Amino acid sequence: MSAVLTLAAAGCGVLPTKEAAPPAATTTPPSNAPTTNAPPATATATATGQDTRPALAETRGTETPNLKVEVVGLNRVKAKHLIAQIRLSNTGTDEKLPWSADMGDRTRPLGAMEWASGIGILDAQARTWILPYKPADSPCLCTDQKRDGLDHFIDPGQSITLYAVLPAPSGNPATTTVLTPVAPPMLNVPISDQPPTGDFPDPDTEPVTPITRRLILPSESLDKSEETADDGKDLQVNLSSDVLFAIDKATLTTQAKSIMTRTAELIDASPATVVTVAGHADSTGNNAINDPLSLRRAQAVQRALTALLTRDGIRFQANGYGSRRPLYDNDSDEGKRRNRRVTITFPKPQPPAQQPTTTTSPGATGLTATTKADGQPITMQIAGLRRLPGGLGLLTYTITNKGSAETWFNDLHHAQDWEAYKYQAASNLHLTDVTARRQYRPARLQVPTDNGMDYYCACTDVSGVRIGTEKFAPGQTREFWNLFALPDTTDTLNVKIGPFRDLQVPIQ
């Protein structure tokens, strides 16, 4: 309560509410904490200050299973804002649990890490990850550990309640997916249009910046001739120059037409009036060679696509960028191969109306595989592969150390992936549609920077403040998650996670 009342007292407007929120902390604030004229505790709080509201959804911390994460409030305000309230509980009996640095948004500067800036929602319709508003003078409209007088730790058997004010998801959905940095996402959380319980800052009374991260959904053909990135607005199709052209040539090979046919079909099905074609090279050679060669290759692809299209009214823009726009690290042969490409970009086709899908029993996804780490048996079990709105899918799985000694299991991030993420993450896995001969890689978050763009895996972190995520005690189990694109033409996919064997997993 001190958090929101302190903000209101400082001159910030307050959103319409029902009654005062339960206390944000369950321990006595330190002597330097801000003082407020707090209203009496509501019926949702016990005599000891515990927030007893029923949970709308819950999950468990990946690194700390004793950390229970619950949504206790999710309210749409003025049809454009969302108030999220998250209760963190220490269900253990003997150790305090740290929380403050873990709840910060990993895609913002470290100054935001002591705020609850990592509370977010998934806007499936807009294909974005929404985070709390940023005012001009603070990291976010959300709980701040220092300002609100909260301890860094949660005592055994105690809980704290955090809040965040963020933009409402588009399309006025009845439910949404709630995200935190510490645990797997919580799906189908109901959104209430009733006023929230408590007083919260009103983003309409001060300048604030919406913080959204665009989701990029990558996939590639199994023959590695083509890879596609879907950001919900545009498709970016990267065609391998090694397949399209002979070395140092700009004449299309006999294989090129069959490879470009799929791209032409996608352009035909899209609302595109302008299509950009960009040639790229790896770091071998120099600009005097790479620049004109990449342009000639882009022009060759443009002419071939023009002949394959079945509708009129499409204009092309062809450019050659040489080696100046690499997607991958040129230090490896694989990175160089992927950088030798011709990229076609155009508005994505509208997806067909999705037919109702049969829900698979959760028991059908209890599939397991085993491996070893430092001699200790490690078990992986699929918890679920669930279809979300907007062509998205959520894979959850557990890793358990079945051995008798503590061990590190580092294989979750040891991937020869085609994205260099900002931090290490559980990205060493993929889904395969065997019939369509297509592979789906973990989604990534696109974050603009002063120097270009950073990419973060839309999955469980295994570095940063969660650096111990890959260290397992004997018998310890952790749950991991990844977002993917899911094809709408199949109900079963091959799942390959790290060194474990492939598993045939039904989509729920």
Side-chain angles (χ1 to χ4, degrees):
M1 179 179 298
S2 61
V4 294
L5 291 180
T6 299
L7 283 174
C12 180
V14 178
L15 287 166
T17 58
K18 289 194 291 188
E19 54 186 13
T26 61
T27 56
T28 303
S31 58
N32 62 347
T35 58
T36 63
N37 296 318
T42 69
T44 61
T46 67
T48 59
Q50 293 287 281
D51 183 345
T52 61
R53 285 177 289 177
L56 302 174
E58 70 173 74
T59 185
R60 289 278 175 169
T62 296
E63 188 171 358
T64 311
N66 285 339
L67 181 64
K68 182 164 68 171
V69 183
E70 300 170 290
V71 181
V72 293
L74 196 61
N75 299 80
R76 189 165 25 223
V77 181
K78 299 182 182 180
K80 59 181 179 178
H81 308 305
L82 201 67
I83 307 295
Q85 296 180 71
I86 304 293
R87 183 169 60 212
L88 303 179
S89 301
N90 181 352
T91 62
T93 58
D94 53 3
E95 292 185 356
K96 293 184 177 183
L97 294 181
W99 70 270
S100 58
D102 286 355
M103 289 298 291
D105 171 24
R106 59 186 171 145
T107 68
R108 294 196 228 186
L110 292 178
M113 295 305 287
E114 291 181 333
W115 298 64
S117 56
I119 296 173
I121 60 168
L122 185 63
D123 187 339
Q125 179 172 310
R127 195 66 67 73
T128 55
W129 185 302
I130 301 177
L131 292 162
Y133 290 109
K134 184 189 183 310
D137 58 354
S138 66
C140 74
L141 286 186
C142 64
T143 299
D144 170 31
Q145 179 264 324
K146 289 183 177 178
R147 181 200 63 203
D148 302 331
L150 303 180
D151 194 272
H152 282 287
F153 299 90
I154 306 172
D155 289 329
Q158 300 296 301
S159 65
I160 61 173
T161 302
L162 313 176
Y163 80 90
V165 185
L166 54 162
S170 57
N172 199 37
T175 65
T176 191
T177 297
V178 178
L179 306 143
T180 70
V182 296
M186 291 170 278
L187 306 182
N188 300 318
V189 183
I191 300 174
S192 173
D193 287 302
Q194 296 299 312
T197 298
D199 292 333
F200 303 96
D202 187 344
D204 290 336
T205 62
E206 62 174 315
V208 294
T209 302
I211 303 295
T212 59
R213 309 303 189 199
R214 184 163 292 281
L215 271 173
I216 310 297
L217 302 179
S219 65
E220 63 182 347
S221 60
L222 291 186
D223 63 6
K224 299 187 182 299
S225 64
E226 168 266 314
E227 59 187 48
T228 299
D230 176 358
D231 69 1
K233 179 182 177 182
D234 293 328
L235 283 185
Q236 186 180 82
V237 181
N238 295 315
L239 303 179
S240 171
S241 291
D242 289 8
V243 179
L244 295 179
F245 306 100
I247 296 175
D248 294 333
K249 302 297 182 183
T251 302
L252 291 167
T253 65
T254 55
Q255 295 175 271
K257 181 176 179 180
S258 61
I259 293 170
M260 287 189 289
T261 297
R262 174 180 178 270
T263 304
E265 291 172 349
L266 290 171
I267 296 173
D268 273 333
S270 81
T273 56
V274 177
V275 175
T276 63
V277 183
H280 301 275
D282 64 21
S283 58
T284 305
N286 55 52
N287 291 341
I289 296 173
N290 289 333
D291 288 359
L293 177 62
S294 62
L295 176 59
R296 292 198 305 272
R297 287 179 168 182
Q299 292 169 336
V301 169
Q302 172 188 331
R303 290 191 294 270
L305 286 174
T306 301
L308 290 169
L309 294 177
T310 61
R311 69 178 177 90
D312 299 324
I314 298 176
R315 181 166 55 89
F316 285 87
Q317 296 176 345
N319 297 284
Y321 295 101
S323 60
R324 292 188 297 277
R325 297 187 179 182
L327 285 179
Y328 312 104
D329 193 336
N330 275 302
D331 290 341
S332 69
D333 290 341
E334 177 67 5
K336 288 182 178 180
R337 183 191 70 79
R338 292 183 181 275
N339 284 331
R340 296 190 294 268
R341 69 198 190 276
V342 176
T343 300
I344 301 98
T345 305
F346 52 93
K348 66 173 293 184
Q350 293 300 310
Q354 188 168 318
Q355 298 299 316
T357 57
T358 302
T359 300
T360 305
S361 166
T365 60
L367 304 171
T368 62
T370 60
T371 188
K372 285 192 175 183
D374 294 329
Q376 302 301 309
I378 303 294
T379 298
M380 180 272 294
Q381 181 172 27
I382 301 293
L385 178 57
R386 297 169 177 84
R387 192 181 295 278
L388 307 182
L392 295 171
L394 175 68
L395 175 70
T396 51
Y397 58 98
T398 60
I399 302 292
T400 303
N401 178 5
K402 293 285 190 178
S404 58
E406 183 179 71
T407 187
W408 287 88
F409 180 68
N410 298 313
D411 293 273
L412 292 181
H413 72 265
H414 284 172
Q416 290 185 346
D417 206 290
W418 34 278
E419 274 304 327
Y421 295 114
K422 181 72 173 178
Y423 298 118
Q424 289 181 346
S427 60
N428 188 14
L429 68 165
H430 56 259
L431 313 180
T432 302
D433 184 341
V434 177
T435 302
R437 297 191 55 77
R438 192 154 197 86
Q439 191 173 95
Y440 297 84
R441 295 283 185 178
R444 59 187 188 265
L445 301 175
Q446 184 177 4
V447 182
T449 68
D450 293 339
N451 300 318
M453 203 75 68
D454 281 339
Y455 292 96
Y456 298 75
C457 185
C459 63
T460 304
D461 285 340
V462 295
S463 70
V465 295
R466 286 162 290 282
I467 199 166
T469 306
E470 294 182 301
K471 189 176 184 179
F472 290 81
Q476 185 171 19
T477 297
R478 289 197 173 106
E479 185 173 12
F480 296 82
W481 62 273
N482 297 73
L483 286 175
F484 290 88
L486 283 188
D488 55 12
T489 56
T490 185
D491 56 8
T492 302
L493 293 172
N494 272 12
V495 175
K496 173 65 173 175
I497 299 176
F500 300 103
R501 65 182 177 89
D502 290 17
L503 296 174
Q504 286 275 344
V505 180
I507 302 173
Q508 301 179 24

